[in-house]
Amino acid sequence: MLHLAETFYSIQGEGLLAGVPSFFIRFTGCNLRCVWCDTPYTSWKPEGEKRSLEDVLAEVQAQACGYVVVTGGEPMIHPEVVTLCARLKQAGQHITIETNGTVFRELACDLMSISPKLRNSTPWKRAQGRWAAAHEQARWRPDIVQQLMAHYPYQLKFVVADPADLEEIRALAAEVKADPRRVLLMPEGRSSKTLRERTWIASACREYGYRYGPRLHVHLWGDRRGI
Ligand code: SF4
């Protein structure tokens, strides 16, 4: 059984495959608590239901789009993700896994989308700060990130909220020896207006050779669930 928050068919809004019609399988539950989490129904207040593997695979096959995004929450905390990915691969699907880069598993994956969390994610002032220390300690695991980068085709995707984040990103990317062409800077924000205002992120990409990471789904549909 898979503990899922939702499944849906949409367009990948983020990363190297932005724009590709994809089927999303979203696990519920996360080992982090980002203050700005855009899927709080998988972290701060996890929701969802147990679904059988066969049921989910049938839904994937019915869409026949060929691209599956396994996301969360944090999908890699679920042991069942290994069997899910093996069956998706058998069925000929291209698999992207979206992970915060704190857990390693050996599994079938065509693109490991690693999104390590910066200092700006730590919830010092949320929920009386009771998650802050655990989050701060767990959010950056260079050993795990390097293991994921060595095992899988990868992209390293950072959510950027403030110009001060850039120095931290450069230090983290250098620490794990990431290829700059695989590093994506993605603006934090839940509206098109906020995203458009952060043009300094595009300037940083020009300067450092990183990629600009769009958030197509926000531009197209705004901050809505299941799209
Ligand atoms: S790692 Fe992702 S799902 Fe988990 S709290 Fe942070 S943004 Fe939310």
Side-chain angles (χ1 to χ4, degrees), residues 26 29-40 42-44 72-74 99-100 115 117 121 135 159:
R26 189 185 299 287
C30 186
N31 56 342
L32 298 183
R33 290 293 183 278
C34 300
V35 65
W36 39 253
C37 181
D38 58 359
T39 55
T42 67
S43 57
W44 289 94
E74 177 44 62
T99 176
N100 60 29
S115 183
K117 302 307 179 234
S121 67
H135 176 97
V159 177

